[in-house]
């Protein structure tokens, strides 16, 4: 019996052993690529210029090379490669993409300004006159000018203040202009870039870089989703009311276990019916995936989510995924606390049922406005009873007073909270409040697992 218990213990620890987080490795590769780009400039620069024109043109070359490299990274981060989406998390990959986009546009602007200014100083002409000369007389520059303008448009509509005022679908389709911009600006790099004109090896490397990124984009954004949906042929099975403004959509299909989905992950769903077919929104699985059935639970907070309550059985479903890194693979301790707020209960409900652990190892805290908003509560109680897990909720008082999640309250409920892994999913305010309380309670940030779906 002792040997059997030890074997079970080892099996449990193997199940909860966290995967290596590839974020550090991926960032290291990105910085190594930037260093290689700078080395390429250095190798092709016999003497650093001593006059103003040469300094400006040299700086323009550096920013142009780095801008071209950063654009490749921006497209790579749009490709939804599993190493990013499932490894570091979709929310972090999205933040990387936004940050890289800002860097890329800044570098491109600097490249244009510095290069044209340097040529103008060198030719003793005005900047406007030199700009016209560069665009009209240099090879591939008309296409590059159009592509640069498109990049600036994409950057403008992606600025926070502008983005928040636009419909998601409008922003999304404008964002696709990035692909046209990349194509148009690519060719002038090889036609006019001093590092490529006389260096066939550098040209080959640049072709390989962009071809590899393009291949990943086509595979993961086009071919893989087509293959997935032709293979599994998903349709709406039924729609179930769970709470006021909250519905579960049951989705049937063929061999769904081959999707490789895990509790805690999400798909981007497109429902092929009037009003919904042109937008794909991320919704988490609210139950462990079954071979013939998937379930999402959605709170009505916008036009798309509200329309899901009207879905008819048999509606065809187009899905992309699975995505997300908030899975059991991130767990590193036996004991786990799950903190959910609002619609954030959906991935945590699936994890509550499937995370390995013995009696007393799991605790779920559910934050909602009022008791009627505790969606899936009966299921959560059944799971808690079956697993001998703790289940708690926090709702507003009769006067609307909001109970705060504080360090004192957390340590009162779980005196050994610093020995827990914590999975956190909910609105930004709840996430920030809970994160600060957990850190003050001694929970290391590496054991607080959180993904935001505000994309």
């Amino acid at each position: 019996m002792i040997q059997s218990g030890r074997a079970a213990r080892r099996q449990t620890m193997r199940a909860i052993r966290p995967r290596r987080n590839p974020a550090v490795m991926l960032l290291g590769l990105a910085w190594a690529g930037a260093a290689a780009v700078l080395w390429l400039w250095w190798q092709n620069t016999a003497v650093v210029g001593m006059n103003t024109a040469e300094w400006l043109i040299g700086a323009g070359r550096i920013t142009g090379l780095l801008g071209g490299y950063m654009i490749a990274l921006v497209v790579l981060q749009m490709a939804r490669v599993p190493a990013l989406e499932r490894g570091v998390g979709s929310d972090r990959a999205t933040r990387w993409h936004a940050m890289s986009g800002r860097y890329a546009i800044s570098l491109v602007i600097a490249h244009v300004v510095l290069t044209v200014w340097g040529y103008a100083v060198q030719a003793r002409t005005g900047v406007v006159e030199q700009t016209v000369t560069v665009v009209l007389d240099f090879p591939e520059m008309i296409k590059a000018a159009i592509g640069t303008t498109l990049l600036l448009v994409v950057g403008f509509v992606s600025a926070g203040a502008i983005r928040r005022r636009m419909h998601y679908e409008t922003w999304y389709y404008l964002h696709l202009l990035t692909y046209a911009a990349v194509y148009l600006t690519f060719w002038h790099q090889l036609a006019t870039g001093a590092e490529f004109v006389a260096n066939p090896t550098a040209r080959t490397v640049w072709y390989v870089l962009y071809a590899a990124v393009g291949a990943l984009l086509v595979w993961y954004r086009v071919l893989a989703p087509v293959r997935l949906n032709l293979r599994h042929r998903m349709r709406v099975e039924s729609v179930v009311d769970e709470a006021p403004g909250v519905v579960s959509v049951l989705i049937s299909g063929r061999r769904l276990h081959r999707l490789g989905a895990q509790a805690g992950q999400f798909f981007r769903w497109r429902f092929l019916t009037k009003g919904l077919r042109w937008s794909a929104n991320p919704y988490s699985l609210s139950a462990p995936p079954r071979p013939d059935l998937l379930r999402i639970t959605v709170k009505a907070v916008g036009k798309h989510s509200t329309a899901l309550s009207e879905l008819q059985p048999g509606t065809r479903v187009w899905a992309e995924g699975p995505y997300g890194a908030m899975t059991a693979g991130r767990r590193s301790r036996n004991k786990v606390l799950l903190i959910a707020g609002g619609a954030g209960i959906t991935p945590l409900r699936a994890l509550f049922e499937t995370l390995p652990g013995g009696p007393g190892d799991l605790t779920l805290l559910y934050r909602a406005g009022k008791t009627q908003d505790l969606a899936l509560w009966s299921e959560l109680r059944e799971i808690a009873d079956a697993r001998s897990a703790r289940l708690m909720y926090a709702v507003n008082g009769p006067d609307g007073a909001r109970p705060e999640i504080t360090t004192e309250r957390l340590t009162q409920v779980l005196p050994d909270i610093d020995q827990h892994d914590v999975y956190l999913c909910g609105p930004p305010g709840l996430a920030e409040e809970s994160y600060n309380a957990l850190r003050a309670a001694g929970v290391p940030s590496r054991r607080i697992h959180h993904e935001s779906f505000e994309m």
Side-chain angles (χ1 to χ4, degrees):
M1 291 296 292
I2 295 176
Q3 186 176 11
S4 175
R6 288 177 178 173
R9 172 76 173 178
R10 287 195 297 269
Q11 184 176 1
T12 299
M13 289 306 295
R14 281 196 296 270
I16 68 176
R17 184 177 297 137
R19 301 170 184 168
R20 292 181 181 272
N21 192 329
V24 174
M25 181 186 69
L26 292 171
L27 288 172
L29 288 174
W31 281 109
V37 168
L38 291 175
W39 178 84
L40 176 64
W41 169 81
W42 181 258
Q43 288 293 107
N44 193 60
T45 304
V47 178
V48 177
M50 299 302 294
N51 59 54
T52 301
E54 290 174 339
W55 275 105
L56 290 170
I57 293 172
R61 286 168 55 198
I62 293 173
T63 52
L65 285 168
L66 290 174
Y69 171 70
M70 191 61 68
I71 286 172
L73 291 187
V74 168
V75 177
L76 178 63
Q77 291 156 3
M78 294 174 71
R80 296 177 186 166
V81 179
L84 283 173
E85 296 282 339
R86 304 177 195 175
V88 304
S90 293
D91 59 339
R92 181 182 287 183
T94 300
R95 290 195 299 270
W96 285 0
H97 169 68
M99 178 182 65
S100 299
R102 290 191 290 270
Y103 287 157
I105 291 176
S106 298
L107 287 165
V108 167
I109 292 173
H111 165 65
V112 172
V113 171
L114 291 168
T115 303
V116 172
W117 188 7
Y119 285 154
V121 172
Q122 191 175 62
R124 300 180 185 276
T125 61
V127 172
V128 174
E129 180 182 351
Q130 189 62 44
T131 301
V132 174
T133 300
V134 168
V135 171
L136 297 181
D137 295 346
F138 284 38
E140 303 290 345
M141 282 306 303
I142 293 179
K143 289 193 292 186
I146 297 172
T148 301
T149 302
L150 293 179
L151 277 178
L152 294 178
V153 169
V154 172
F156 176 76
V157 300
S158 298
I162 305 299
R163 165 71 183 89
R164 287 189 291 270
R165 297 175 182 271
M166 300 179 66
H167 291 295
Y168 173 79
E169 291 78 10
T170 303
W171 171 84
Y172 174 80
Y173 287 111
L174 285 174
H175 207 66
L176 295 180
L177 290 173
T178 303
Y179 301 133
V182 172
Y183 176 81
L184 291 169
T185 57
F186 173 75
W187 303 104
H188 95 284
Q189 300 176 58
L190 302 178
T192 62
E195 286 70 26
F196 303 114
V197 171
N199 189 337
T201 301
R203 284 201 306 273
T204 300
V205 170
W206 214 246
Y207 272 122
V208 169
L209 171 65
Y210 273 78
V213 169
L216 290 171
L217 181 74
V218 171
W219 175 255
Y220 288 114
R221 291 298 298 267
V222 180
L223 299 180
V226 169
R227 177 173 175 266
L228 180 152
N229 287 280
L230 290 178
R231 171 184 289 184
H232 299 289
R233 299 184 181 276
M234 288 177 273
R235 293 182 180 273
V236 173
E237 181 78 12
S238 61
V239 178
V240 179
D241 291 325
E242 302 286 4
V246 179
V247 298
S248 286
V249 181
L250 279 68
I251 299 165
S252 61
R254 303 188 305 182
R255 301 186 296 274
L256 297 180
H257 58 290
R258 295 189 178 180
L259 287 168
Q262 302 178 55
Q265 292 188 308
F266 68 95
F267 288 78
R268 287 180 170 87
W269 303 94
R270 190 186 304 270
F271 298 93
L272 304 185
T273 187
K274 184 179 179 180
L276 296 176
R277 68 176 67 249
W278 297 112
S279 58
N281 284 34
Y283 299 121
S284 298
L285 298 176
S286 61
R290 288 171 29 185
D292 61 340
L293 197 68
L294 301 175
R295 189 183 76 173
I296 59 174
T297 301
V298 181
K299 183 176 182 179
V301 294
K303 182 178 178 181
H304 189 278
S305 54
T306 301
L308 297 190
S309 63
E310 304 298 326
L311 285 172
Q312 297 300 312
T315 300
R316 293 177 58 194
V317 180
W318 185 274
E320 298 178 37
Y323 302 123
M326 198 170 63
T327 63
R330 287 294 178 90
R331 183 180 177 186
S332 61
R333 292 292 188 274
N334 282 327
K335 295 186 177 183
V336 175
L337 168 63
L338 309 171
I339 301 178
I345 189 61
T346 52
L348 299 193
R349 181 260 177 248
L351 285 168
F352 193 48
E353 181 177 349
T354 57
L355 278 171
D361 285 345
L362 297 179
T363 302
L364 172 61
L365 172 59
Y366 191 173
R367 175 75 177 86
K370 49 185 180 294
T371 54
Q372 295 92 324
D373 296 331
L374 295 170
L376 308 175
W377 185 252
S378 61
E379 294 183 15
L380 294 170
R381 290 183 60 182
E382 291 178 5
I383 295 169
D385 291 341
R387 304 197 63 181
S388 298
R390 297 186 185 92
L391 176 62
M392 301 175 291
Y393 67 85
V395 298
N396 297 345
D399 59 351
R402 180 181 182 276
E404 295 183 356
I405 297 178
T406 64
T407 301
E408 291 74 20
R409 290 179 177 177
L410 290 175
T411 53
Q412 183 179 4
V413 174
L414 297 171
D416 60 344
I417 192 170
D418 59 331
Q419 300 301 313
H420 283 63
D421 270 279
V422 181
Y423 289 78
L424 173 60
C425 191
L430 173 74
E432 182 178 0
E433 175 186 80
S434 302
Y435 180 85
N436 292 334
L438 290 164
R439 293 291 289 117
V443 183
S445 58
R446 67 180 180 278
R447 287 199 265 115
I448 302 175
H449 315 298
H450 170 251
E451 272 190 308
S452 170
F453 301 104
E454 296 203 345
M455 301 181 186

